[in-house]
Amino acid sequence: MSCVFCKILSGELPSYKIYEDEYTYAFLDIAKDVDGHTIVIPKKHVINILDCDSITLSKVTEAIRLISKHYVDDLGYDGVNVLNASGKAAEQSVFHLHFHIIPRKEEDGIHAWPNFTGSKKSLEEMVEILKVN
């Protein structure tokens, strides 16, 4: 198995565990790019949100909410960013579903939101392309 997150789950690779339940595991990102940068994964191997069943996704989002509320309610953070990339085109780098929680403080100087360059099509065109029937 070459999945780094599955290796963490099996104990083959070490991690800094923040939270664990029957369905999910959360640990600190070893990049150390932002204090408290947490990764939340399902214990079940799924590639991303596009192939994830609804029960697994629900359990992961419950864990994200629990951890995020702990950071804000108990640890004094002012908010969190929750980030996910699903698919190579979306810059997913580890092909095991995962979400990043970035704990935030007011005026911490972190810019976690992408800098978009502007849409090329009108909203009318996009609604016709994107709407779910």
Side-chain angles (χ1 to χ4, degrees):
M1 183 176 297
S2 62
C3 173
V4 66
F5 292 163
C6 288
K7 288 180 179 180
I8 287 171
L9 288 169
S10 72
E12 188 177 335
L13 291 175
S15 66
Y16 295 92
K17 180 171 72 171
I18 296 296
Y19 174 79
E20 181 176 16
D21 63 27
E22 181 181 349
Y23 300 95
T24 64
Y25 189 77
F27 54 96
L28 291 178
D29 189 313
I30 61 171
K32 298 189 327 180
D33 50 1
V34 174
D35 287 339
H37 182 167
T38 304
I39 297 179
V40 182
I41 62 172
K43 289 184 173 178
K44 175 182 180 180
H45 182 85
V46 292
I47 295 172
N48 57 43
I49 202 169
L50 303 172
D51 77 332
C52 187
D53 61 274
S54 60
I55 293 170
T56 300
L57 186 58
S58 174
K59 296 298 184 181
V60 171
T61 56
E62 286 175 24
I64 291 167
R65 186 183 73 74
L66 184 144
I67 295 163
S68 297
K69 282 188 63 58
H70 170 64
Y71 289 176
V72 172
D73 294 348
D74 303 328
L75 303 181
Y77 286 97
D78 299 315
V80 298
N81 287 107
V82 177
L83 309 169
N84 168 264
S86 287
K88 186 176 179 182
E91 300 179 42
Q92 183 177 1
S93 59
V94 177
F95 291 91
H96 182 125
L97 176 64
H98 61 286
F99 290 83
H100 301 259
I101 301 174
I102 311 297
R104 300 296 303 273
K105 292 274 193 176
E106 293 287 334
E107 300 183 32
D108 59 15
I110 297 169
H111 300 285
W113 199 257
N115 185 16
F116 297 114
T117 58
S119 55
K120 295 172 180 46
K121 297 183 186 218
S122 72
L123 295 177
E124 292 79 13
E125 289 175 287
M126 290 311 302
V127 74
E128 290 303 316
I129 293 168
L130 299 174
K131 70 181 169 183
V132 178
N133 295 322

